[in-house]
Amino acid sequence: MIVHENRIRVALADDDVLFREGVSSLLARSGFDVVGQAGDATEILPLVREHRPDLVILDIRMPPTHTNEGLDAARVIREEFPETGILLLSAHIEVEEAMELLAAGHRVGYLLKSRVTGVGDFMETLERVAQGGSVVDPSLVRELIKSHRRNDPLELLTAREQEVLALMAEGRSNAGIASKLWITEGTVEKHVHSILSRMRIPGSEDDHRRVLAVLAFLETR
């Protein structure tokens, strides 16, 4: 179990009651404080206003139309409570609609629901977002890379650099990327420098700024 001196307070919205209850149970067992649950976007806003959670987990598609209700609620939460972390969940790759929110570059994340099967990684992601970080599922980054135009600078990245870029978007440090890819930290630094240079984005040692740079570039493709 993750032990917190100050338990992270979480509100959760998903119309799939079994999924919602399962995530809530995992959170409680992992040391988080679930302050409320909602089955649709209209229910989550009053909960957030009442309890002021550190983190809100939102499904993007919820009743009544199952389109972008969760994303719309996330925008309201970000406007009213900018210090509240927001994690978007989706069963589908639909990051285009969320790009404006993601481009904020802090206290925000976007994961595919399939990623929730890795409980330890999921809990680590929640902590990272609640504490001010940014996390984007690498599958979403890869999908955006594939959709770019031929003259896009991302086309110049090597396969390894694309792997490093995906891990950067997850919010990992150079050391974390090195461990994941079984390469040295120095090699990662070279890849990061090359990526930012090819993409014409100034480098930074700050992980959050690196994620912001990646998202901002993808937004302008």
Side-chain angles (χ1 to χ4, degrees):
M1 175 182 291
I2 302 173
V3 179
H4 301 277
E5 292 183 6
N6 298 308
R7 289 159 62 93
I8 296 174
R9 302 169 69 251
V10 182
L12 172 65
D14 196 296
D15 61 306
D16 184 333
V17 64
L18 293 180
F19 179 85
R20 188 174 73 238
E21 289 290 345
V23 172
S24 178
S25 178
L26 285 174
L27 291 170
R29 292 202 305 269
S30 299
F32 293 80
D33 182 10
V34 181
V35 300
Q37 297 184 40
D40 61 45
T42 59
E43 293 177 359
I44 192 63
L45 292 175
L47 281 175
V48 172
R49 289 166 180 151
E50 178 182 356
H51 296 287
R52 306 289 182 90
D54 304 302
L55 176 68
V56 181
I57 302 173
L58 292 161
D59 186 8
I60 289 182
R61 299 184 181 184
M62 286 191 285
T65 67
H66 292 278
T67 53
N68 292 325
E69 284 84 357
L71 182 57
D72 292 339
R75 292 190 181 108
V76 174
I77 294 168
R78 176 46 51 92
E79 181 177 350
E80 294 186 14
F81 307 101
E83 296 306 308
T84 296
I86 296 172
L87 178 66
L88 300 170
L89 292 175
S90 179
H92 311 279
I93 295 177
E94 48 192 347
V95 74
E96 292 286 352
E97 294 82 356
M99 189 60 73
E100 179 182 351
L101 184 68
L102 292 171
H106 66 282
R107 299 185 189 281
V108 64
Y110 190 144
L111 291 182
L112 296 178
K113 284 189 174 182
S114 59
R115 300 280 287 183
V116 179
T117 57
V119 175
D121 287 342
F122 182 59
M123 297 304 155
E124 184 179 320
T125 293
L126 298 185
E127 288 189 322
R128 190 178 297 158
V129 173
Q131 292 168 3
S134 298
V135 177
V136 181
D137 194 300
S139 298
L140 303 174
V141 176
R142 285 193 293 269
E143 188 68 19
L144 285 171
I145 290 172
K146 290 177 183 177
S147 69
H148 277 235
R149 298 188 299 266
R150 284 186 174 274
N151 61 352
D152 197 295
L154 286 176
E155 291 291 332
L156 301 176
L157 300 185
T158 66
R160 177 62 87 184
E161 287 170 349
Q162 291 187 19
E163 288 180 301
V164 171
L165 174 62
L167 293 172
M168 284 170 59
E170 286 189 73
R172 295 179 184 270
S173 65
N174 285 354
I177 295 173
S179 176
K180 185 75 172 180
L181 297 180
W182 294 89
I183 57 180
T184 68
E185 191 170 345
T187 300
V188 173
E189 291 175 358
K190 291 179 181 178
H191 285 314
V192 171
H193 177 76
S194 176
I195 290 167
L196 296 175
S197 176
R198 293 175 195 265
M199 293 167 62
R200 297 182 180 179
I201 296 173
S204 170
E205 292 303 316
D206 186 281
D207 289 334
H208 304 163
R209 290 178 181 174
R210 297 197 315 182
V211 173
L212 174 58
V214 172
L215 291 173
F217 181 83
L218 293 175
E219 184 184 31
T220 60
R221 74 189 189 285

